[in-house]
Amino acid sequence: MDSQLDLFANALSPTVEKAIAPAQSRSRRSQAVARSDDEMARKLEETGNYRILRRHVARPVAAVRRPEFSRVGVIVDTETTGLNHRNDEIIEIGAVAFTFNDDGAVGDIIGVYGGLQRPSKPIPPEITRLTGITDALVEGQFIDIQSLRRLIEPADLIIAHNAGFDRPFCDAFSTIFAGKAWACSVSEIDWSARGFEGTKLGYLVGQAGYFHEGHRAVDDCFALLEVLDQQRATEETPFSELYRASQRSRVRIFAEHSPFDMKDQLKARGYRWSDGSDGRPKSWWIELDEDDLSEELHYLRSDIYQWDEADPPTLHLTAFDRFRA
């Protein structure tokens, strides 16, 4: 029997070898290619010579809302025709609604809206270069207020990456944003303490290990949520820090009638100039945690006014007041 099998095998061996050799070669190639992209990325990163950025993939909208995440946050991003909310207009708005709990733990995505709108004037070329949004792209487009309202109305907190820019535009655009608490993921998170050297969204996303299609509203919202929900070692997430910060009261101090020759000293301390056109006192001003108010007033009285009875105007702010125009 063995000799018969050997003869049979020998008889077929030339044909079998021709058929098997390429198959074995393909198999070896397949095994080599079978190593996943993540594994290859890990191998490169382990050398210490490479940092791999992964394409950011948006989280899906949850089919069922989990009851343990009772609060709603909405990340909002706008693209506009310019920087002045009084003269310029929103041409795109993105909103991503998600759930979270009282500890600042993020739950699930529960809604997404993105819409374009044709402005009353042509889009400036520099805005098109920055955003990729052209007049042709927004022709005949209108933001669906009702769809946006369904996301905004239940929100406990609205988050923007530079809320001082987005909130005035949103307030001017629609009353659906009135009476909402806002938080700013630029100014209310200590990114430097977390090892970040900048606060621009593209930089934060990159250092978190991702890349994304920047300067389109919904993409930016999803990318920001990913960064906010990053957990590193024993640190709380950036979103948890942001949520706590949003619950604290702040105070704005106006160094009204401060001596002109003290302007450089005030600027170096972080004061900004208001020309009075927005209804604020015409003066240098700064915004601080309420806990720092006494120390700052002491500084102004001793170093700037040099008068113990000086009483510069103050304005106390909550998340419902902050970042307004």
Side-chain angles (χ1 to χ4, degrees):
M1 178 67 70
D2 289 342
S3 61
Q4 287 179 334
L5 289 174
D6 291 341
L7 287 170
F8 183 71
N10 291 336
L12 291 180
S13 60
T15 305
V16 171
E17 285 177 0
K18 289 180 181 178
I20 289 178
Q24 289 177 332
S25 179
R26 286 196 298 272
S27 176
R28 285 193 294 269
R29 287 197 300 271
S30 297
Q31 290 173 2
V33 174
R35 182 180 298 169
S36 70
D37 291 344
D38 283 343
E39 186 179 352
M40 288 189 288
R42 180 176 58 80
K43 292 288 187 183
L44 286 172
E45 288 177 326
E46 284 176 353
T47 68
N49 296 321
Y50 299 91
R51 286 191 66 241
I52 307 299
L53 298 184
R54 293 158 176 83
R55 179 182 294 278
H56 174 253
V57 178
R59 301 182 184 190
V61 177
V64 178
R65 179 172 170 177
R66 290 181 284 174
E68 61 265 36
F69 297 99
S70 60
R71 297 195 177 277
V72 175
V74 180
I75 296 177
V76 170
D77 184 63
T78 62
E79 303 297 345
T80 66
T81 57
L83 302 177
N84 189 331
H85 71 279
R86 293 183 178 85
N87 304 317
D88 296 308
E89 303 169 67
I90 291 176
I91 53 176
E92 184 181 30
I93 193 165
V96 171
F98 64 96
T99 58
F100 66 96
N101 65 19
D102 289 337
D103 295 324
V106 172
D108 305 297
I109 303 289
I110 58 172
V112 179
Y113 175 76
L116 293 163
Q117 178 143 314
R118 180 178 178 273
S120 60
K121 294 180 286 188
I123 298 172
E126 60 272 20
I127 298 299
T128 295
R129 283 194 297 271
L130 180 66
T131 65
I133 300 174
T134 64
D135 289 318
L137 192 61
V138 298
E139 185 63 36
Q141 298 291 317
F142 294 93
I143 292 170
D144 185 344
I145 293 293
Q146 294 310 313
S147 294
L148 193 56
R149 185 190 303 275
R150 285 192 286 272
L151 297 187
I152 300 300
E153 279 191 346
D156 296 289
L157 187 66
I158 298 176
I159 303 103
H161 201 62
N162 191 2
F165 174 85
D166 289 290
R167 180 169 190 174
F169 273 99
C170 288
D171 285 343
F173 177 71
S174 173
T175 58
I176 65 174
F177 295 95
K180 289 298 178 182
W182 282 72
C184 178
S185 53
V186 172
S187 63
E188 295 186 287
I189 297 173
D190 190 347
W191 292 109
S192 62
R194 293 174 175 273
F196 292 84
E197 297 175 3
T199 59
K200 286 188 176 180
L201 181 58
Y203 180 84
L204 297 176
V205 171
Q207 194 160 339
Y210 298 97
F211 68 93
H212 80 300
E213 300 298 328
H215 291 298
R216 291 306 302 269
V218 170
D219 294 328
D220 282 352
C221 290
F222 272 118
L224 178 56
L225 179 61
E226 203 65 47
V227 173
L228 292 177
D229 199 29
Q230 287 274 307
Q231 182 77 53
R232 294 186 176 186
T234 58
E235 286 183 345
E236 64 178 348
T237 64
F239 177 72
S240 181
E241 180 184 346
L242 178 63
Y243 181 49
R244 283 192 299 102
S246 73
Q247 295 174 296
R248 292 196 296 266
S249 182
R250 306 269 289 175
V251 61
R252 191 170 290 172
I253 309 171
F254 299 91
E256 198 172 24
H257 307 306
S258 58
F260 179 79
D261 58 359
M262 292 293 182
K263 64 181 179 64
D264 291 336
Q265 189 171 332
L266 288 166
K267 187 175 181 180
R269 193 173 173 88
Y271 280 73
R272 289 177 281 180
W273 175 251
S274 171
D275 62 6
S277 61
D278 53 6
R280 300 170 182 165
K282 185 177 181 180
S283 65
W284 291 93
W285 64 274
I286 195 169
E287 187 175 307
L288 306 161
D289 284 338
E290 274 194 336
D291 293 343
D292 299 324
L293 175 59
S294 295
E295 180 183 342
E296 195 63 25
L297 288 176
H298 175 73
Y299 161 76
L300 288 173
R301 289 163 179 159
S302 61
D303 289 30
I304 301 301
Y305 294 107
Q306 299 179 8
W307 177 41
D308 289 343
E309 302 302 315
D311 190 22
T314 58
L315 177 65
H316 293 263
L317 304 167
T318 68
F320 294 93
D321 309 307
R322 287 198 291 273
F323 313 114
R324 283 180 172 168

